[in-house]
Amino acid sequence: MATMFPCPSCGGQLRFSAEDQKLKCRSCGSLTDVDSYTPDDKIGMDTINTNIYQCPSCGGEIQLIDNDGMEFCPYCGNQATMQEKFSIEGAPKYILPFQLNKEKARDKYRSLTGHLHFTPEGLEDKENIEKLVGMYVPYYLYDYSINDEIEYKGTTTHSTADYYITDYATVDVSVKVDSLKVPFDASQTLDDSIAAKLEPFPMDKVRSFNPGYLAGFFVENSTVDKDVYKSDSLDKAVDYLCGEVAKGSHGYSPEPSARYEIETKLTNDLKYDDVQGAYMPMFFMTTKYNDRVAYSIINGANGVSYIDMPIDKRKMYSFAGKVSAGIFVVLLLASFILNFSFNVKSLCSFSALVSALIALVGAILAECTYSSDQHLNDKGYFQNAENVKAKKIKKPKKTSSSLNVAMLTSLITVIALVIFAVSMQMTGALLGILPYIFYPASVVMVIAALIKVKKGDKNVMLLGILAWAFSIAVRLINLPNDIFYYAALIVAFVVILFSINAIVNEYNRFATHPAPQFLKKGGRLENARD
């Protein structure tokens, strides 16, 4: 098959070179300027007349722009024979060319995964890393402009040897931007939460679309309607401009009342100009993990990365066994050296606290997994504004409630461990206080778990609550002999182990994604053309 990008010197196949930012011949190595080169009639500035390959497993579509073929689906990871069809696709107005080559992307992947613990076997195998492919992902660029003066009351604080000094001033900052392009992914594949982690893009390197930049790369063919992210783009533009105001404020932060006034003025004075389609560069890899898939995505312009990383339970349990044995030896020696012993009844409170913590973590993971699997934070999956409204998809908060609960839980756990350590050093003096702290804390965490879980899978939470209830019941029964307490605590410990195993399983679900199904068609990039 003749190449769409023949070399002017030898007729060989041209590929866009990220290092040279030019077209490079695979045969003779000569370089050709992208803007001065004209490909054959099948590919132009306004339309791409090419082949589209559809995966029979997930229905995902991808354009092969003068590439060497497709041995696996980049969306679901299946090695399947891609079904070929002929198509004429609209071209976007802008493109951000690749700035990293594939070898640098692979090195970036190795550096990110090489130091991680409990990673599944095979992630760093050459065969797996070879699946990393360069692909242009469709985006929309929402264009805004503003010429404004922002005035507010600001403060700055500095200290001397004896005093903290606060200075007050009226700050006047000029905000003038002729073209502020705000990117949002127009892809049904790329989840909005993942796309946000791959930003920012170097917008100064965005170019007018030229098909030469596509030579040697894949192009995703699944897009969404251009109005889906219009309101979100305004919020994103205001956030950016607030940052620009802060840079020009000479260190004077706005007072709390002034922050709202600044955001309101910027929102009212921003002028929405247009929205245009663009192709943004990504290195994309899908790894099968049981019945789900793990994504590894590297921004092809600046190397910002996102990697799904499930846990290998065999490695984790091996490490945990060694650490637990070490802790047991240390505690055993400490009990002889410091001459203290544990009150078996007090251990019920510790068991209740650990069980409640498991229930809360399980509830948070279950809710996050449910939200991810149902695409509740991904407007692009639903393709148009009407479907988004029907599904009641909302923009995620800047600080999620899950994160707040997790931080609170961590704080409680740290405080509990500190108290426990202090009580050990003071022999048994403070040990009796712990149940009065652990039991109320465990009740609070169980209530928080019941509130948080909502529609998520409740198995992990229920196991944690079961162990918690068992620990409470054992303490309340007031058994006649310590041996009964030890037997009951062993039972609670076994339930806790099952709970931890369930947590790891749920985390692995959270850290991966269901195999995608793209049987719907989106709005196409030609909707964003003039």
Side-chain angles (χ1 to χ4, degrees):
M1 179 180 176
T3 175
M4 295 183 189
F5 298 90
C7 174
S9 301
C10 70
Q13 198 174 38
L14 293 178
R15 290 283 185 267
F16 178 74
S17 169
E19 302 99 317
D20 303 302
Q21 291 295 296
K22 292 184 178 182
L23 292 167
K24 186 173 183 178
C25 180
R26 300 182 69 185
S27 300
C28 67
S30 62
L31 298 175
T32 303
D33 184 70
V34 175
D35 294 327
S36 63
Y37 180 79
T38 303
D40 70 7
D41 296 336
K42 291 183 179 180
I43 189 164
M45 300 296 290
D46 297 319
T47 59
I48 303 173
N49 186 347
T50 185
N51 294 332
I52 288 181
Y53 289 78
Q54 185 177 48
C55 175
S57 299
C58 71
E61 292 184 350
I62 190 170
Q63 297 180 64
L64 269 68
I65 307 301
D66 200 29
N67 214 301
D68 296 327
M70 203 74 192
E71 298 177 356
F72 59 90
C73 175
Y75 303 126
C76 66
N78 283 328
Q79 290 186 333
T81 302
M82 303 287 280
Q83 298 171 354
E84 183 178 0
K85 65 180 182 179
F86 182 78
S87 178
I88 299 177
E89 291 296 316
K93 185 172 182 179
Y94 299 106
I95 189 169
L96 176 58
F98 275 86
Q99 308 296 312
L100 303 178
N101 61 20
K102 185 177 289 188
E103 192 56 42
K104 288 184 179 179
R106 289 170 179 165
D107 291 341
K108 178 74 173 178
Y109 175 82
R110 292 189 187 98
S111 67
L112 289 171
T113 59
H115 67 280
L116 297 177
H117 301 291
F118 317 138
T119 57
E121 296 291 344
L123 284 183
E124 295 187 1
D125 291 351
K126 182 178 180 181
E127 180 181 354
N128 186 58
I129 298 178
E130 285 295 325
K131 292 182 179 180
L132 195 69
V133 297
M135 182 163 65
Y136 279 104
V137 177
Y139 264 70
Y140 285 123
L141 302 184
Y142 296 84
D143 209 345
Y144 291 89
S145 60
I146 190 171
N147 187 356
D148 212 348
E149 293 290 330
I150 302 296
E151 184 178 294
Y152 66 88
K153 300 293 184 181
T155 62
T156 184
T157 303
H158 61 279
S159 61
T160 65
D162 301 312
Y163 301 99
Y164 285 100
I165 301 172
T166 300
D167 295 329
Y168 296 86
T170 298
V171 181
D172 191 353
V173 180
S174 177
V175 181
K176 183 177 181 180
V177 182
D178 294 328
S179 179
L180 174 60
K181 291 180 170 58
V182 180
F184 273 93
D185 72 286
S187 164
Q188 192 183 1
T189 311
L190 191 60
D191 189 282
D192 292 347
S193 60
I194 297 177
K197 294 172 184 175
L198 294 168
E199 295 185 21
F201 291 98
M203 299 304 291
D204 58 315
K205 290 181 168 53
V206 171
R207 304 286 181 260
S208 295
F209 176 75
N210 187 307
Y213 293 114
L214 304 179
F217 296 101
F218 303 116
V219 178
E220 185 188 343
N221 193 39
S222 179
T223 60
V224 300
D225 187 83
K226 62 184 178 181
D227 293 327
V228 168
Y229 297 106
K230 186 174 179 180
S231 61
D232 296 310
S233 69
L234 176 60
D235 295 337
K236 197 172 181 179
V238 170
D239 287 343
Y240 170 78
L241 292 173
C242 284
E244 293 300 298
V245 170
K247 290 179 182 178
S249 65
H250 303 289
Y252 282 84
S253 302
E255 297 176 352
S257 59
R259 296 179 188 274
Y260 175 76
E261 294 175 2
I262 293 171
E263 291 181 359
T264 302
K265 182 170 177 55
L266 290 172
T267 301
N268 293 335
D269 294 348
L270 259 178
K271 179 185 176 185
Y272 173 73
D273 295 319
D274 199 3
V275 57
Q276 297 288 351
Y279 282 148
M280 296 298 192
M282 304 283 183
F283 287 99
F284 198 94
M285 182 173 70
T286 301
T287 305
K288 295 270 290 182
Y289 188 81
N290 296 328
D291 61 338
R292 297 169 73 86
V293 293
Y295 293 141
S296 300
I297 308 173
I298 299 173
N299 188 319
N302 56 18
V304 176
S305 305
Y306 168 88
I307 296 178
D308 289 327
M309 193 54 63
I311 291 174
D312 186 316
K313 290 194 291 185
R314 182 183 58 82
K315 293 181 179 179
M316 186 198 74
Y317 285 133
S318 175
F319 176 80
K322 295 173 183 177
V323 172
S324 298
I327 293 175
F328 175 78
V329 171
V330 170
L331 289 177
L332 185 63
L333 293 175
S335 66
F336 288 113
I337 296 172
L338 300 176
N339 193 27
F340 71 88
S341 61
F342 294 99
N343 185 327
V344 67
K345 294 182 180 180
S346 298
L347 290 177
C348 291
S349 65
F350 186 75
S351 175
L353 182 72
V354 172
S355 301
L357 180 60
I358 288 173
L360 180 56
V361 172
I364 293 172
L365 278 175
E367 179 60 20
C368 291
T369 303
Y370 176 83
S371 297
S372 176
D373 286 0
Q374 298 299 316
H375 306 278
L376 297 185
N377 294 321
D378 183 15
K379 290 185 175 182
Y381 181 81
F382 300 98
Q383 300 179 304
N384 58 59
E386 289 74 19
N387 288 341
V388 168
K389 187 176 180 180
K391 287 286 184 178
K392 298 180 181 180
I393 309 301
K394 298 179 180 180
K395 188 175 91 169
K397 296 179 181 178
K398 292 180 181 178
T399 303
S400 68
S401 57
S402 300
L403 181 60
N404 290 334
V405 173
M407 290 174 62
L408 178 61
T409 303
S410 301
L411 180 61
I412 293 173
T413 305
V414 170
I415 292 173
L417 291 175
V418 169
I419 294 174
F420 185 76
V422 171
S423 66
M424 282 174 51
Q425 291 180 5
M426 300 181 66
T427 63
L430 294 179
L431 203 58
I433 300 176
L434 292 180
Y436 298 100
I437 298 172
F438 286 179
Y439 285 130
S442 69
V443 172
V444 171
M445 285 190 281
V446 167
I447 294 173
L450 291 169
I451 295 172
K452 181 60 187 173
V453 72
K454 297 180 182 177
K455 294 183 179 181
D457 189 335
K458 299 176 177 60
N459 289 338
V460 178
M461 183 195 72
L462 292 176
L463 280 171
I465 291 178
L466 175 63
W468 170 79
F470 187 79
S471 301
I472 297 290
V474 168
R475 181 64 186 88
L476 293 177
I477 291 173
N478 197 22
L479 298 171
N481 195 300
D482 283 357
I483 191 65
F484 294 105
Y485 281 101
Y486 283 117
L489 286 172
I490 289 173
V491 174
F493 177 72
V494 171
V495 177
I496 288 173
L497 284 182
F498 277 107
S499 302
I500 292 173
N501 186 71
I503 276 187
V504 176
N505 289 337
E506 188 63 29
Y507 172 79
N508 285 344
R509 285 176 51 79
F510 169 69
T512 54
H513 309 273
Q517 298 290 333
F518 306 119
L519 301 181
K520 302 175 183 178
K521 298 296 182 288
R524 304 294 184 191
L525 275 174
E526 58 263 30
N527 289 347
R529 293 173 56 205
D530 293 332

